[in-house]
Amino acid sequence: MAGTNSERTLIAEGPAIILVHPQLGENIGMVARAMANFGLAELRLVNPRDGWPSEKAISAASKADHVIEAAKVYPSLEAAVADLEFVYATTARDRYGYKEVRSPVVAADDLRVRFRAGQKTGILFGRERTGLTNEEIALADELVTFPVNPAFASLNLAQAVLLMSYEWMKSGLASVKDTPFDALPQRPAKKEELQGLFDHVEETLEARGYFRPAEKKPKLVENLRAILTRPSFTGTEIQVMRGIISCLDRFTRESPRGATNPNRTRNRRPKVPRDDA
């Protein structure tokens, strides 16, 4: 879904996203793209398997350059979280221990509160195949897990980051019903326009014998008008509807609009000879 606009304010804030021993550069790039989509900008990499920087990551990031260019590489997870004050670790498996387990919504709301209080926070994501080890999870304060199919709970790295990034962005909205833009304002159709549509449809159907038997016509017309008033048409929509009806009324499948039919006789006005010819 296209939507990049360099003229609008770029959001770049929030918790650090920490990838522990990520494998493919493409996955790192897709993580960067997911982060940029939802306003996150700080990417920390712990010993990426294929090294850094990565051309494959840059390509997969799809112009999330500010995330890729600012990414930092750390030799160990301990070093990557050393300056943070609160860390969540993501997991899809049951973990038996003393750490609280939160849903993404609760975790994102908590991170937002901490962010507004000036705390430095982070979210840990493990290896593509095996996730985080128990020793790595021990460095986190709490766990966050996703409501997925228990029989198929595996998420790829970019999917997991995207889910948390989405919840982070949503936690900053005044209302979960907020949208980044509104529909263009439309003028409601005037009653005379709606009446014109009724008359147009009724006349077109009358010419084709739709209202049969005749005694049922009043009820059929009533039902037809009830259907046509339900959508709350705008003036533009009335024009579109009448254009459709006019096209169906004037043209057939055999003689569509714009077609040249040698068997069709056009009613053209005869040419009048000019006196000065």
Side-chain angles (χ1 to χ4, degrees), residues 8-37:
R8 303 191 69 175
T9 301
L10 178 68
I11 302 173
E13 59 184 19
I17 298 298
I18 306 162
L19 307 185
V20 181
H21 299 296
Q23 297 171 345
L24 301 176
E26 294 94 326
N27 288 342
I28 299 173
M30 287 187 286
V31 163
R33 181 178 184 179
M35 292 171 60
N37 284 152

Side-chain angles (χ1 to χ4, degrees), residues 184-260:
L184 294 175
Q186 296 285 329
R187 176 184 63 80
K190 297 177 181 178
K191 296 306 179 185
E192 63 180 351
E193 293 174 316
L194 196 56
Q195 184 60 51
L197 175 63
F198 293 157
D199 295 341
H200 194 167
V201 173
E202 184 177 337
E203 188 279 329
T204 301
L205 294 175
E206 182 74 60
R208 286 157 179 75
Y210 175 79
F211 300 111
R212 297 180 65 184
E215 60 270 18
K216 289 189 176 181
K217 179 179 177 179
K219 184 60 177 177
L220 291 172
V221 170
E222 178 184 333
N223 291 342
L224 182 62
R225 294 195 175 201
I227 292 170
L228 293 176
T229 53
R230 186 176 299 168
S232 298
F233 287 116
T234 64
T236 301
E237 290 168 341
I238 291 286
Q239 294 176 6
V240 171
M241 287 295 296
R242 295 197 64 173
I244 293 172
I245 296 166
S246 294
C247 185
L248 294 174
D249 194 26
R250 292 183 59 189
F251 304 102
T252 66
R253 292 174 182 266
E254 292 74 22
S255 299
R257 184 179 181 183
T260 301

Side-chain angles (χ1 to χ4, degrees), residues 43-65:
L43 177 60
R44 302 185 180 191
L45 308 174
V46 178
N47 284 329
R49 186 191 68 181
D50 294 340
W52 193 260
S54 166
E55 289 298 324
K56 291 181 178 179
I58 294 172
S59 177
S62 297
K63 304 299 182 182
D65 298 333

Side-chain angles (χ1 to χ4, degrees), residues 138-161:
L139 296 175
D141 297 280
E142 294 184 2
L143 306 181
V144 58
T145 191
F146 305 104
V148 293
N149 184 346
F152 196 78
S154 176
L155 294 172
N156 70 38
L157 189 56
Q159 285 176 325
V161 173

